[in-house]
Amino acid sequence: RMACFAVMTGREVRTLKGHTGGVSSVSFSPDGRRVATASWDGTAKVFDVETGKEVRTLRGHTGFVYSVSFSPDGRRVATASWDGTAKVFDVETGKEVRTLRGHTGFVYSVSFSPD
């Protein structure tokens, strides 16, 4: 369970359900309509902000997923994991687009450049 709060009021406005482990990172899509989450259950998920419904589960890591980030155009999500990889997924299909290997330890964070 992940709770979303209105910053100005402190009121809980939405609950996102679906992960079976703790949530370690969240990222809003550039248009604000979706939110991606990273979890200790080894997955990332994409939710519809308005309804709170799960849109997609992004699978492929073999360890905890620590970080998640939307691309500037909102079409891709990058993830970082304890399995020593970062992955890029297509948001609409949920398919893995690329795995970035070569790290010698855990990968704790991911981010896209603006361009």
Side-chain angles (χ1 to χ4, degrees), residues 11 33-34 46 54 61 72 75 106 108 110 113:
R11 187 174 60 84
R33 295 178 15 193
R34 292 187 174 173
V46 179
E54 183 182 320
H61 286 291
R75 295 176 44 215
F106 305 141
Y108 288 101
V110 288
S113 70

Side-chain angles (χ1 to χ4, degrees), residues 80-101:
S81 174
W82 265 29
D83 66 12
T85 69
K87 294 182 181 286
V88 180
F89 294 89
D90 181 281
V91 172
E92 290 307 312
T93 67
K95 291 186 179 178
E96 185 181 314
V97 175
R98 181 159 292 118
T99 297
L100 305 171
R101 293 181 173 85

Side-chain angles (χ1 to χ4, degrees), residues 16-103:
L16 306 178
K17 296 179 183 176
H19 284 295
T20 58
V23 173
S24 53
S25 177
V26 298
S27 176
F28 279 92
S29 62
D31 65 7
R33 295 178 15 193
R34 292 187 174 173
V35 64
T37 58
S39 174
W40 284 44
D41 66 11
T43 69
K45 293 184 181 286
V46 179
F47 295 88
D48 180 280
V49 171
E50 183 68 27
T51 66
K53 292 189 179 185
E54 183 182 320
V55 175
R56 194 92 50 242
T57 298
L58 309 176
R59 301 180 194 280
H61 286 291
T62 58
F64 301 138
V65 180
Y66 260 137
S67 180
V68 66
S69 180
F70 268 97
S71 63
D73 64 8
R75 295 176 44 215
R76 302 275 193 261
V77 166
T79 56
S81 174
W82 265 29
D83 66 12
T85 69
K87 294 182 181 286
V88 180
F89 294 89
D90 181 281
V91 172
E92 290 307 312
T93 67
K95 291 186 179 178
E96 185 181 314
V97 175
R98 181 159 292 118
T99 297
L100 305 171
R101 293 181 173 85
H103 299 282

